[in-house]
Amino acid sequence: MPRLPLVTERLALFATLLATFGELHPACDHWVQGSKTASRKRMYGEDLVHADGTPATPGSTRPTMTTSTLGRRAVACHVASYTSVQLAATIGVTRAFGYRVTPAALLAGAAINASTHAAIDRGALLLWLAKKTKKTGYIEHCQAVRMDDEGTLTREVNGPGSSWMELDAALHRAIGIGAAAVTTWLTTRPGSRR
């Protein structure tokens, strides 16, 4: 592969990674993530539930876990699928254009996106950041209203159509800038391709 001037190579790789990370985020959150995973990933508490999320009854012989454990499992499942798609797409896109990202760089970028995605999607970090940046009013104001089969309306603070979802997506995309920059730097630094 003919080498481009380093600055051009870095800018091209950064732009490619940024586009891949950023544009895949909505697809992974809304198409790849399962409905049950999405609804369970912010579950917290010490109440005992079964793996399907139903409350455990006294004397139940089915395995149980706390609601917090179920929430952590759900977010881990989502992050695993998100990371798999991101890695496959990054390798596919860069190789389709005749470029190879070094394995260490690829894994570093994926680790940044995966770990922060898990922390943000669990919910507590997003709420903490919202409080620190005075965005809780925005979260409280821009909620979604849902109607069940009987016509009962309920408010939802963090589902589709809410400011929570907008703040979540904005954080993931901003972090994607850092992940793309780290991946680019690790791939193009002197001596990285011996």
Side-chain angles (χ1 to χ4, degrees), residues 1 12-13 16-17 20 87-102 106 183:
M1 171 174 99
L13 179 57
T16 301
L17 294 171
T20 303
L87 282 168
T90 301
I91 292 167
V93 168
T94 54
R95 287 191 179 174
F97 290 109
Y99 195 89
R100 287 186 183 256
V101 176
T102 61
L106 189 63
T183 305

Side-chain angles (χ1 to χ4, degrees), residues 40-53:
R40 294 177 183 159
K41 65 186 178 184
R42 289 185 198 90
M43 291 179 78
Y44 285 92
E46 296 303 315
D47 294 332
L48 293 179
V49 295
H50 298 291
D52 64 1

Side-chain angles (χ1 to χ4, degrees), residues 36-120:
K36 290 179 182 175
T37 300
S39 67
R40 294 177 183 159
K41 65 186 178 184
R42 289 185 198 90
M43 291 179 78
Y44 285 92
E46 296 303 315
D47 294 332
L48 293 179
V49 295
H50 298 291
D52 64 1
T54 58
T57 56
S60 173
T61 58
R62 293 169 50 202
T64 62
M65 65 189 79
T66 65
T67 50
S68 287
T69 300
L70 184 60
R72 285 190 300 273
R73 284 185 179 186
V75 84
C77 181
H78 169 49
V79 169
S81 65
Y82 171 92
T83 304
S84 297
V85 171
Q86 178 191 317
L87 282 168
T90 301
I91 292 167
V93 168
T94 54
R95 287 191 179 174
F97 290 109
Y99 195 89
R100 287 186 183 256
V101 176
T102 61
L106 189 63
L107 292 175
I112 291 167
N113 279 326
S115 61
T116 57
H117 202 103
I120 293 166

Side-chain angles (χ1 to χ4, degrees), residues 49 74 77 131 142 149 192:
V49 295
C77 181
K131 286 177 186 171
C142 297
D149 292 340
S192 65

